[in-house]
Amino acid sequence: MKVLLILMVVGVGFFGGFKYFEKTQTNRSNNTVFEEVTSTFPSVRMKGYLPNIELRNQFNESVKFYDDLIKDKVVLINFIYTNCGGICVPTTSRLARVQEELGDKLGKDIYFYSITLDPEFDTPERLRRYADVFSAQPGWLFLTGEYDDIERLRRKLGVYDLDPIVDADKTQHAGILVYGNEPQGTWVAIPSLISPKDILKAISKVM
């Protein structure tokens, strides 16, 4: 199966801020192989493009998305919801294994942000319990907020389906990890169900 992932960053100060990745995934005895094709563009910053929305983390602390979570950081972002019966658990399990490999680099050299698609259900307390299941360490935040704000952010990050019917069904939400180095202006999207080893290899390129 060939999957084409495009993350386009276009906005105030972001014209030309575009990262293109083509992934060829082949399943062989539960192993996933993927090929990356990249294009290089001038360094861009996310300020003015990403909405600086207010979110709450699993500790019920208020944070601003750009100012507190993105600015001057290397980050990995994905979208989940706690009662998801699909890809959320295997994706989060993979990130937990990547977390183990990163050790004390998590929370220092890179930060993980898992944002709920179901903010009405996923309170900070529910997110804390979910995070505890996967032994989330400092540097990995689980975030909730206003539904409209999260939807706006999801679209700005390019994590949506072009078919509006599919996109409106959170049970079919995109299995994508978006990661980037904000100071360098490097932003990339990869499939969330590749191996933890391949996720670690990919994010190491921007750290």
Side-chain angles (χ1 to χ4, degrees):
M1 177 177 65
K2 194 170 187 179
V3 180
L4 183 65
L5 298 178
I6 297 177
L7 174 63
M8 178 165 269
V9 182
V10 181
V12 179
F14 278 83
F15 184 78
F18 171 85
K19 197 76 176 179
Y20 174 101
F21 262 60
E22 184 179 81
K23 309 296 177 189
T24 302
Q25 301 180 81
T26 306
N27 293 317
R28 297 176 183 170
S29 304
N30 298 322
N31 293 320
T32 300
V33 177
F34 71 98
E35 177 185 355
E36 301 180 358
V37 180
T38 69
S39 295
T40 302
F41 292 85
S43 178
V44 294
R45 299 295 294 267
M46 297 299 268
K47 185 176 182 180
Y49 176 77
L50 286 178
N52 195 30
I53 60 175
E54 182 177 350
L55 298 169
R56 300 197 78 82
N57 64 28
Q58 71 264 41
F59 309 110
N60 203 27
E61 298 167 335
S62 176
V63 292
K64 289 289 189 178
F65 184 73
Y66 179 79
D67 288 346
D68 298 327
L69 304 182
I70 302 299
K71 185 179 179 182
D72 297 325
K73 293 181 175 67
V74 177
V75 302
L76 179 148
I77 304 165
N78 74 309
F79 291 86
I80 54 97
Y81 59 105
T82 62
N83 61 347
C84 171
I87 64 173
C88 301
V89 169
T91 295
T92 310
S93 296
R94 283 164 169 77
L95 293 182
R97 290 172 61 186
V98 174
Q99 168 188 248
E100 293 176 4
E101 294 298 321
L102 286 169
D104 61 6
K105 291 181 180 179
L106 183 65
K108 183 175 67 175
D109 297 337
I110 189 168
Y111 298 81
F112 289 180
Y113 304 133
S114 295
I115 305 171
T116 181
L117 293 170
D118 190 3
E120 291 186 4
F121 182 80
D122 286 337
T123 61
E125 174 61 22
R126 286 186 185 277
L127 290 174
R128 186 188 63 77
R129 292 199 298 266
Y130 189 81
D132 286 347
V133 169
F134 296 96
S135 301
Q137 299 300 304
W140 188 357
L141 295 180
F142 290 73
L143 299 151
T144 189
E146 295 295 325
Y147 177 82
D148 289 345
D149 287 342
I150 291 173
E151 283 297 289
R152 184 156 54 104
L153 175 60
R154 183 172 68 89
R155 288 186 166 273
K156 285 287 190 176
L157 288 169
V159 186
Y160 63 92
D161 197 288
L162 294 177
D163 184 332
I165 296 176
V166 173
D167 189 60
D169 181 1
K170 68 177 183 292
T171 66
Q172 300 187 61
H173 74 90
I176 295 173
L177 304 176
V178 176
Y179 62 95
N181 183 317
E182 194 274 343
Q184 291 182 5
T186 302
W187 292 89
V188 184
I190 57 173
S192 66
L193 295 183
I194 61 176
S195 72
K197 178 181 178 181
D198 284 332
I199 294 172
L200 182 61
K201 179 180 177 181
I203 63 176
S204 295
K205 294 178 181 178
V206 301
M207 289 172 62

